[in-house]
Amino acid sequence: MSAAFDTLTLGSALDASGEVLPLKLIASFVDGIAAFDPERRCMFWSEGMQNVTGLAPDEALGRAADEVLPFLRAPGEEARLEQSLFGKRSLSRSVRFAVMTTGREGYLDVHYAPLEARSGSRSGCAVVVHDVTQGWIAREKLLETEQRFKNMADVAPVLLWMSREDSLCTFFNQTWLSFTGRTLEEEWGVGWTEGVHPEDFASCMDGYIAAFNERRVLELEYRLRRHDGVYRWILDRGTPRYTPDGTFAGFIGSCIDITERKNMEVELRQAVRARDEFLSIAAHELRTPLTPLSMHLQSLLRSAKAESKPLTPEQLLSRLHGAERQMARFAHLVDTLLDVTRITGGRLSTLREEVDLSALVREVLSRFELELSAAKCTLHAALLPTLVGRWDRLRLDQVVSNLVSNAIKFGGGKPVEVSLEQQGSRAVLSVRDHGIGIAPEHQARIFERFERAVSMHNYGGFGLGLWIARQVVEALGGEIRVTSQPGEGACFVVVLPLSEGEQPTANVGPTSLEVPLP
Amino acid sequence: MNLMTTAPCKTILVVEDDADIREVLREVLEVEGFTVRTADNGKVGLEALEEIGRPCLILLDLMMPVMNGLEFLAALRARSAPRSPPVVIVSAYSDIARDVSGAAGRLGKPIDLDDLFGFVHHHCCGSA
């Protein structure tokens, strides 16, 4: 059989020079080589062919081409073989094949080449097969890995991106695209930077480029526009990536939304600042009664040491009463400070008992008589003769005192109006002044702790009164609100359920809270 | 310091919003023989000056409603310079008081009576 091959010349693809290649050499090629006569019977079957297909030469020789190379039965393959047998064309193909002996599937690059006898007459064709299965498997694995990465990236709860070695971003996961509401095409390259907040753009770019050029881990915080147009704070961490041979291939990064954290930081900073301010105010407020107290004592001392005229008994009594008053004032301030810790510690307890709010308001007003006249504020009170509910007497006294004291303090010497009426099962107390008023933007703030709507350069005070008032009123199931215009005074309204369990707001709209002035 | 020999009828203006401090200042100064006018803010203080003319001393709080101490000082300079009465700042905020230019002196709170009478002696009991 092999003797017949001596007469064969291999086709141009195998031997471009036209030389006869030694059959032994051909037989030992790693690639499989087979030759078929015009009847498609196998004339030659190399060792390489046995390695690739699992068929030994003895099993293959003399058999039909499509029996020994089953892939020829695939649509179109037969025609290619035909072309090589009867035409002059060489053809190359990649095909998937099934190995007969093991059932293994694999990939072959197949080359068909016409064979000519030395005489020049057509004598069949050669089929050269090159096993590319390993390459294909590697490629499929790579594709699978890439697909798996993409799947993982798309379900990851973080925004992922990847850039090339030229710093252009070529990958954004679905989470990113959903976040920005843009397509990969829009984000591609530097498109994503369109979503960066203008104020953060420069620092974001500088940080990225610097880290990129230095091939170091980057960590950036910037605002990125979300699909709904809202800018969210993003923490972006990126790291350089390298190919297996160590070549820099770009960056890969992940981002998380840190807006909540950022907001908390801001709130925390504000809280710390408010506390610091409060400490300074508290120190000042506590020192205020100490000033007259110390002067009363110094005056007594000077008199005792005969450094000044001896004090008359009246003057002496005045000094001592004055000192006593300042001590009480100091104690009151300390009590207020203790209220802060009580309230923030959730320890504000109310002691409910039967209270005539009308009598309580009258009592508070009589206590403020001197202060009212000193401030040249006339008082108009329109109170029910009696209004009894179950409240905490001392705490309500504190609330009413705070409101009246504020009305005098900020009332600018104009009339102060206090009214008390009953609306259904609720008591409605209003304290109105005609002083500096409160701008709308400050109205919610004044009920917060340590807040004040006025400059410390004009008005002292802890900035706690209304906050405490609100805490007390709410602890009693009621509510407190303010209506005001700058320059036109303020009207504070306290609505209190007469007993526990009543809702303060039902059927009491804002208009019904407008208290008619006397 | 004993001010008992001080000539009476000299007037001191106290501009202070805290009623207790205002009154105790009035009392200790009146005991020493001074006439004391008080005002609870800068605006009232300026109005008082219209009536009493030039006091020998103004004791001025900084933090007050309506018109605070700094505003009062500026208005005072504008209307009575160069013969502005001497002003002693009385403030618990020592850092703010330090930044006030043109004041004759500063008193911290609580007020030391010796320091107070020192200023009073200097401005109200001299040959001026």
Side-chain angles (χ1 to χ4, degrees), chain A residues 269-453:
Chain A
R269 267 199 296 274
Q270 279 170 348
V272 169
R273 203 192 57 223
R275 190 203 60 191
D276 289 348
E277 270 174 23
F278 173 73
L279 284 177
S280 137
I281 292 166
H284 178 264
E285 288 299 309
L286 288 172
R287 194 150 55 171
T288 302
L290 291 184
T291 298
L293 173 63
S294 140
M295 287 167 75
H296 285 302
L297 294 176
Q298 288 180 71
S299 168
L300 289 167
L301 207 57
R302 286 173 64 84
S303 172
K305 289 205 245 169
E307 288 174 354
S308 67
K309 289 177 193 157
L311 296 174
T312 65
E314 290 78 26
Q315 288 170 330
L316 200 59
L317 212 55
S318 169
R319 292 288 174 284
L320 290 169
H321 276 316
E324 201 178 25
R325 214 168 41 243
Q326 299 313 317
M327 286 305 299
R329 193 174 158 191
F330 189 81
H332 174 73
L333 289 172
V334 173
D335 283 346
T336 307
L337 285 180
L338 286 175
D339 273 348
V340 178
T341 53
R342 255 183 226 125
I343 292 168
T344 48
R347 283 179 283 118
L348 179 75
S349 54
T350 53
L351 186 72
R352 290 208 187 236
E353 58 180 324
E354 208 152 272
V355 179
D356 183 349
L357 185 54
S358 190
L360 186 147
V361 172
R362 269 194 291 272
E363 190 188 316
V364 171
L365 291 176
S366 73
R367 240 185 4 244
F368 275 95
E369 247 169 41
L370 273 177
E371 225 175 294
L372 280 158
S373 71
K376 299 179 188 71
C377 292
T378 53
L379 174 71
H380 301 282
L383 312 175
L384 284 179
T386 173
L387 209 178
V388 179
R390 289 191 57 78
W391 301 300
D392 184 313
R393 179 186 301 278
L394 289 178
R395 288 293 175 191
L396 270 192
D397 188 303
Q398 192 179 12
V399 171
V400 179
S401 301
N402 264 327
L403 294 180
V404 174
S405 160
N406 274 351
I408 298 170
K409 183 172 168 187
F410 300 109
K414 303 209 177 71
V416 171
E417 291 131 18
V418 180
S419 82
L420 177 66
E421 57 183 66
Q422 186 174 346
Q423 290 180 5
S425 55
R426 290 164 291 276
V428 179
L429 169 77
S430 89
V431 178
R432 185 191 289 262
D433 68 66
H434 296 273
I436 59 172
I438 306 150
E441 63 268 25
H442 295 318
Q443 287 177 12
R445 213 161 56 82
I446 55 173
F447 294 107
E448 299 298 326
R449 191 161 49 139
F450 307 149
E451 291 288 359
R452 55 184 62 234

